[in-house]
Amino acid sequence: MHKVVRWRAVASFAWSVLLLPVTTSLFVFLSQASLLHPIQWITDSLCLLTASSTMFSLLLLSAVVLVIGIFIQEYCTVIPSIPCSRVALLAKVLHPRQCVHSLSHCSLGMLVTWCAAVTIGGRYRTLSHPCSESENVGQMCLNEYHLFLLLAGAFMGYSHSLLGVVQNMNYVAFHAVQQHKYMHFKGSLPRVVKCSAVQSLYSLRNYIVLYYFFGYGPRLWISQILNLQLDGSSHFLDTVAGLLDFSLLYHLWISGTFLMLTWFITVFLFRIYVSEAYSFPVQSTFTEDAEMCLPKVLSCKEPMVMKFLALQDLALLSQHSPVRRQEVFSLSQPGGHAHNWNAISRECLSLLTDLTQRLVAHHDAVASNGRPKSQGSSTVEDLPKAYPSVSKTPGSVFLRSSTVGLNSPMTAPFTPDLDSPFSSPVIRRLTAQEDPASPWFGSVQSPHVMRRGPKLWSASTGFLAKRALVLYLFNKLPEASGQALFADSQAHIWALEGLSHLVAASYTEDRFGVVQTTLPNILSSMLMLLEAVDRHFKLPHASSKPSRATCSMGDSTHKTLRFALRAALKTALYRITTTFGEHLHAVQMSAEHRKRMQQFLEYKE
Amino acid sequence: MCSLALFPPPLLDGEITLYESNNELVSGTSASSCPKQEWDPPSLIFPRETLKSHSRPESSSKSAFLDHKDTLWMRSAGAWRDAGLSGLLEEIANRPDEVPKWLSVGSGCMLALLRWISSFHGSLFPHLTLSSEAMVAEFSQVLKWSDGAVRGFAWHPHTDKFAVALLDDTIRIYNSKSATSPTLKHRLQRSVSSLQWKPLCASELAVACHNCLLVWHIDPTSLSTRPSSGCAQVLSHPGHSPVTSIAWSPSGSLLVSASPVDTAMLVWDVAIESCVPLQRVGGGGVTFLSWAPDGGRVLAATPSALFRVWETRMWTCERWPCLKGRLQTGCWSPDGTRLLFSVQNEMVIYALTFSDSPGGPKAASVVADLSETTFSGPNGDVTVGGEVQSLAWDPKGERLAVLMKGVSEAPERPAVIAVFRTRTSPAFELLPCGFIKGEPGVEPRLMQFHPQFQHGALLTLCWSNGKITHLPFYFVSAGATTATCLPHHTAKGTEFSSQLLYTDHSS
């Protein structure tokens, strides 16, 4: 089942390793830059490229890329987790799982810059060098340049990991425009290079400020541990004079860009490979393939990515492939049941109904609380999930992976961490959507459970709320709760597209009339969702658009998914109404829905 | 092959083409003798004199407003923000008294180098040396775009509603179901080159502007006559200006935009305001886009003798080099399998047939010859024919309107619209229908077919005097089983209509 994703991941890592020699030689070439001696520049670079140290670095870098790849695969998700308040974000950063991520990226960054230091050579090559001062002749001194570079790598690795949380770097977005992998990569490569250069520049600035103030500490520590002297003859690097060294800054920036580039390319290739469309068979004659059939995969909840791929495939087949549509509309051979259509429409409708319920519950919660963004006590919604409860310690990565290893090895990467109290409620709701025993299901059914919550919380956190810092931390980020509601809306968009295209196609292609039986259901689900979405967009902050990030590798598509969902929903309804036209009057629906439908028929929506 | 010699002779001055009935164009002396329908689209007139065009030169007004007492660094920062590197260099090079000599001389040299490089680039692609207004005028589908009162026209794909873009950078919307006609104005809505309604949507209108795309959301139930600029989404991308052509996907999900300056064509997901640039080597820009009605292919023309046909599932493209010049215009058959196009400097219409089987067509075939033809009439000889400015094919695939450029120096050779009757099955055929004649001394500038006309086809024409008229073609569609009731008929001889002029047996 998850073989598909595993092989895709392996292929993407293989490509990123294969691209490593290219980026490395580019780095070598740029690191040896000397504009005044171009011939020497070229010969030096060529010599360095064939040197054994470069080969060793290359091996080491390949290992680093593989480890990074494993981390990406482990942590990536198709549903972004959106922290609803600052404390939730803080909790996300301090989560043990994230700490492991950060620390390993720290050391991997150090490893990469060590390779870079060895490659650049010269004064960066080793950690120690013979002292030049007269009183220390014969002793070894600490080479601060080497240390400076290593610490820069560690810092960049850490900030990469941190920014990954803030910018949702692990989120794999699916794009509306399908392209061949090579074209997609080629088209976006300039952006990746630009991003890594800019990101490296920002990290560099932060690092230099940090080193200027605190560089003294690690230098002293390392020199004491390794019993090295501090060379007093040259400037220390935590002084203005020491830092105003153009060649040092250039090499630092080049190394940082190199580090970011190799990592970003790995992330980027992984995203391209995973989000590529996969064609599932609609039905299969062999029982061993039955697990891979579209209706089966659609209804599975386990690896979210497979469900997303199946929905994407449904949207594509409904639009482009008459042959496969025919299979969807077909009847089963003995019995004459429309199993395929029933399974597909049921799954899509349950997705839509789930979103409707979620929106209604959110709206009710907001309405019962007065304004959604009132101060302090109204942070009901995010407090329970954001507050790190002591009793329930989040499972560490090791713990989790060991338990996962017992069940099935590949469930982990794309299923968000459900045990964690910090995970977005959406994810928990989504996975527990049809589980009547789950507490969320109950709260959807009876909104007053939700209303009871706030009073308890306002009583217990009453005195805390008076403090400004707590207020700041617990205050809900204005747009985040809206974004969190629609975090998985890509699935709904595909469901809407798939359903509406299939229904529109059924007008001419459905020979047995299987779609007709579900048409009233489909229309009423869509209209109910439209009503809920319309109500949601009347809330404050719902229709404000986030500012566009200029250059980041994190995909910010999730911030605007609600607009995409609204547009897809209206288009889906119009697709059905323009195809069926006046025939829709014969479809059973409530008077209210009929009125709304008439609006669509008259193009007044 | 069909040629203009087979057409009935053009009408005399004073007569106006009113409608088509019984396979023949009916003329009269005034527009009032047209048959009435349930909703007659309003015939509008926008006199050129009442519309004040914005004479806003892009850079000359800057010096009038910029405070020259700013420090050099403030001004440099402003120049960098407004005009990029070259602006910064120019600012520094022009102040030799305020900066060190080496800096001003150095930036002067850099500026010269940059200009030399860009002039070299411009010699490869001459259109890059045009100003952006001239570029829009050059590549627009509208004849004499810069001086006409009407700069764009768009029918709504599903209802009786249309939008008109005018010389004063406003857009007006006329609706059969409401008396209010909203006027759209926006700060960024300058030199509108193209506009199109979103399919499967009631309210969204995409507008290609000087340096951005605007997507207006006009609530059809609203009574407001001046929607605020908050109703417009602004989509812009660095290096993508001026936008000369846009096209919505027929499924309403994507929007493509093209600029002759940008070698990439942008595919927008409008709702989330993100775009994917699709770039291929060669061509030097994209000038004209047309999405096939079945959604499967997109035609993209470039300023050089090359055009591409994109397949929209995986976004791969076929390159089609032309011999004579760039592709000026093109249109798709309703089923999306046949593309008609014409090339600059050639007076013919080509056809390309696509099929789902691999391989595809190898070469385009000439289907109509529009070279100059002289008809002798009572008032002397009339010469008709020329290069094609734009093509329009009605949504039923039965009428093809061809707007041919006139000779601007000769007033007796104005632009002319020739209408062909077309048939796509069983074989592709072009038959002459007639020339469309307007009021004396007035030439057509822009035309578009109504997407949902029940009794045949309705061609909307924008004329050089700012008039917008609608010309119905009454016919029973070949595919229709039940004959719809036509308003009224005037039976006359049909000596020209029975000739079979072009048959494409390969299809």
Side-chain angles (χ1 to χ4, degrees), chain B residues 322-335:
Chain B
C322 318
L323 292 175
K324 284 281 174 61
R326 66 181 172 85
L327 183 135
Q328 164 64 30
T329 180
C331 64
W332 292 90
S333 67
D335 57 354

Side-chain angles (χ1 to χ4, degrees), chain B residues 151-193:
Chain B
R151 291 187 154 181
F153 182 93
W155 274 108
H156 192 278
H158 308 291
T159 56
D160 287 328
K161 177 156 81 170
F162 61 84
V164 187
L166 299 174
L167 181 67
D168 60 352
D169 292 337
T170 60
I171 293 176
R172 297 199 193 156
I173 292 166
Y174 295 88
N175 193 343
S176 69
K177 294 192 186 106
S178 83
T180 54
S181 56
T183 305
L184 310 180
K185 278 189 189 179
H186 196 280
R187 189 172 51 86
L188 296 169
Q189 188 169 289
R190 287 195 285 144
S191 50
V192 175
S193 53

Side-chain angles (χ1 to χ4, degrees), chain A residues 177-178 545 548 574-575 603, chain B residues 158-159 202 251 272-273 315:
Chain A
V177 176
Q178 297 281 319
K545 305 224 166 177
R548 201 141 278 283
Y574 269 118
R575 188 169 293 131
Y603 293 95
Chain B
H158 308 291
T159 56
S251 65
I272 60 173
E273 299 186 3
W315 291 98

